[in-house]
C-alpha cells in the first residue's frame, strides 16, 4: 500500500508560551483535496504555514511523498518542498502581464517550454484572451485564476490555498470554488485548503478537518461532519440546528418531545439517561395534516426555501426548511413531523443551541 502524499504526525507549534497547534495529525492521499476549517484563531493557517515551510515545528514530523520535510531538529527550506501556494491576496506582480505572472516560476525551463506551459495553463483556467492584460485590468475572479495558474505552473506535488476566495463576493466565491475543484480534479492535483467558510469547504474538499484551539476535532467528509459530528463543538460549528432534551430508552432509542428516534446513543448513557439531541432543519418536515403543531417565531426567506424558527408546545425551538410557496406568517401555527433517520446525542449537563 502506497504512503499518503502528505502526512503530519503530532506536530506542535508555539508563539512564545502560547501553543497554537497541539499534537495535530492528518494524512492526505495523492489526488485528494483536503481542508482545514475553523474559526479565526484556531491554528489552521499556522498548520498551512508549517506545511509550506514558512514556520518550524517544535515537535512532531511532516512528510511529503514519504520524505521528511519538517521536525523539531530538521527543516527543509520552502523552495525545496515542491509546493505551490495561492495566497489570500493573490500576491500578483502588478508590473507584469498575466502570461508573465503565470510563467514567473518557470526560469529553469527554456523559453519555448515556458511559453508552452503558460499557454497550457491559460487554456486550463480560461484566461487565454487576457494573457497580455495586467492585474489591475482584471476582475477579482480573474486575478484568483491567475494566482492559481501561477501556483500550478511548476507542477508542484502539493498545492496550498490560504483563504483563496475571501476577497470575493458570495456568488462569485461559490462559482469559483466549483471551477477550482474541477481544475484540480482534472489535473490530478493534491491540495489542501484553509478557510473559515464551511460552504467553501463543502464545495471544494473531499475531506475536511474541523479545527478548534489548535487541534483537529474531526477529519471526515462533509456529509459525516453534518450528520455524524464527533462532538458538540463540531455539531455547533457545522450547519445549523438546535438541541432538544431527550431521554435514552435503550442502547438504540432516544425519546424527545417530537417522538422516538433510533440510532447510536452516547456509549456512557444507560436507559433513563438524559441527553441533548441535535436536530437539523431538514429533520423537521412541514406537514399540514400532522397533529404535531408548532408556532412560527422567525422566518428567513432563501429563495426556493424559507428557514422557519418554530416554537414547540414545551417552549423549545426547532428549525425547519420549508419550500417557499408555504409562506406562513409569524405567530401562525403550522403542522410538522419528525423525519430524522439517526440520533446525534450528547450527555445532558450543558445545553446549547446553534
Amino acid at each position: 500500500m502506497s504512503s499518503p502524499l502528505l502526512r503530519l504526525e503530532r506536530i506542535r507549534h508555539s508563539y512564545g508560551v502560547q501553543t497554537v497547534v497541539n499534537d495535530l495529525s492528518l494524512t492526505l492521499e495523492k489526488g485528494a483535496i483536503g481542508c482545514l476549517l475553523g474559526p479565526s484563531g484556531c491554528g489552521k493557517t499556522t498548520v498551512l504555514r508549517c506545511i509550506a515551510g514558512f514556520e518550524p515545528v517544535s515537535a512532531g514530523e511532516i512528510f511529503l511523498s514519504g520524505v521528511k520535510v519538517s521536525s523539531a531538529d530538521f527543516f527543509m527550506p520552502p523552495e525545496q518542498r515542491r509546493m505551490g501556494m495561492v495566497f489570500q491576496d493573490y500576491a500578483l506582480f502588478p508590473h507584469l502581464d498575466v502570461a508573465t505572472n503565470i510563467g514567473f516560476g518557470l526560469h529553469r525551463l527554456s523559453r519555448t517550454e515556458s511559453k508552452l506551459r503558460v499557454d497550457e495553463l491559460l487554456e486550463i483556467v480560461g484566461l487565454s484572451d487576457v494573457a497580455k492584460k495586467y492585474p489591475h485590468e482584471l476582475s477579482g475572479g480573474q486575478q484568483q485564476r491567475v494566482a492559481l495558474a501561477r501556483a500550478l505552473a511548476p507542477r508542484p506535488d502539493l498545492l496550498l490555498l490560504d483563504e483563496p476566495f475571501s476577497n470575493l463576493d458570495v456568488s462569485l466565491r461559490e462559482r469559483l470554488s466549483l471551477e477550482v475543484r474541477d481544475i484540480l480534479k482534472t489535473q490530478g492535483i493534491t491540495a489542501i485548503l484553509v478557510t473559515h467558510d464551511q460552504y467553501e469547504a463543502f464545495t471544494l474538499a473531499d475531506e475536511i478537518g474541523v479545527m478548534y484551539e489548535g487541534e483537529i476535532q474531526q477529519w471526515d467528509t462533509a456529509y459525516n461532519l453534518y450528520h455524524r459530528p464527533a462532538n458538540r463543538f463540531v455539531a455547533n460549528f457545522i450547519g445549523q440546528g438546535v438541541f432538544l432534551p431527550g431521554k435514552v430508552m435503550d442502547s438504540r432509542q432516544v425519546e424527545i418531545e417530537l417522538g422516538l428516534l433510533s440510532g447510536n446513543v452516547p456509549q456512557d448513557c444507560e436507559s433513563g439517561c438524559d441527553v441533548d439531541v441535535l436536530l437539523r432543519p431538514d429533520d423537521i418536515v412541514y406537514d399540514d395534516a400532522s397533529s404535531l403543531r408548532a408556532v412560527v417565531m422567525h422566518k428567513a426567506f432563501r429563495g426556493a426555501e424559507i428557514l422557519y424558527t418554530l416554537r414547540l408546545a414545551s417552549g423549545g425551538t426547532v428549525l425547519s426548511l420549508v419550500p417557499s410557496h408555504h409562506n406562513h406568517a409569524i405567530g401562525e401555527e403550522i403542522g410538522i413531523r419528525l423525519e430524522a433517520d439517526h440520533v446525534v446525542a450528547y450527555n445532558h449537563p450543558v445545553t446549547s443551541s446553534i
Side-chain angles (χ1 to χ4, degrees), residues 150-297:
R150 185 181 62 184
L152 293 177
R155 304 183 192 276
D157 293 335
L158 178 67
L159 181 68
L160 308 176
L161 301 106
D162 183 14
E163 300 269 9
F165 309 109
S166 61
N167 295 328
L168 305 175
D169 63 60
V170 174
S171 60
L172 182 58
R173 191 183 306 169
E174 190 172 327
R175 181 167 59 81
L176 277 172
S177 295
L178 288 168
E179 287 182 10
V180 168
R181 178 177 169 83
D182 286 345
I183 290 168
L184 297 180
K185 285 299 182 182
T186 301
Q187 299 299 304
I189 302 295
T190 310
I192 190 159
L193 162 80
V194 158
T195 183
H196 64 274
D197 185 328
Q198 59 187 274
Y199 299 107
E200 193 174 290
F202 290 174
T203 302
L204 253 171
D206 302 309
E207 296 178 290
I208 301 163
V210 177
M211 283 193 64
Y212 180 62
E213 294 187 340
E215 299 178 355
I216 291 180
Q217 304 296 306
Q218 186 174 353
W219 179 267
D220 219 323
T221 63
Y223 182 91
N224 285 341
L225 292 174
Y226 185 86
H227 289 291
R228 301 184 183 102
N231 56 39
R232 194 182 286 265
F233 175 81
V234 177
N236 273 299
F237 187 75
I238 296 294
Q240 293 177 293
V242 297
F243 287 104
L244 284 185
K247 189 171 289 291
V248 173
M249 308 306 289
D250 55 43
S251 62
R252 296 289 300 170
Q253 290 189 315
V254 175
E255 186 176 39
I256 61 174
E257 179 180 354
L258 300 175
L260 205 58
L261 281 170
S262 297
N264 294 321
V265 302
Q267 290 184 348
D268 53 350
C269 273
E270 299 177 356
S271 180
C273 174
D274 291 326
V275 291
D276 293 332
V277 178
L278 176 68
L279 293 179
R280 301 293 194 187
D282 47 320
D283 293 329
I284 307 298
V285 177
Y286 173 81
D287 184 355
D288 235 354
S290 174
S291 59
L292 191 61
R293 314 301 285 181
V295 176
V296 176
M297 294 176 63

Side-chain angles (χ1 to χ4, degrees), residues 76-77 80 90 129 132 157 172 194 245 268 271 284 300 314 350:
M76 182 183 287
Q80 295 178 19
Y90 312 139
D129 56 339
K132 295 303 177 186
D157 293 335
L172 182 58
V194 158
D268 53 350
S271 180
I284 307 298
S314 66
V350 181

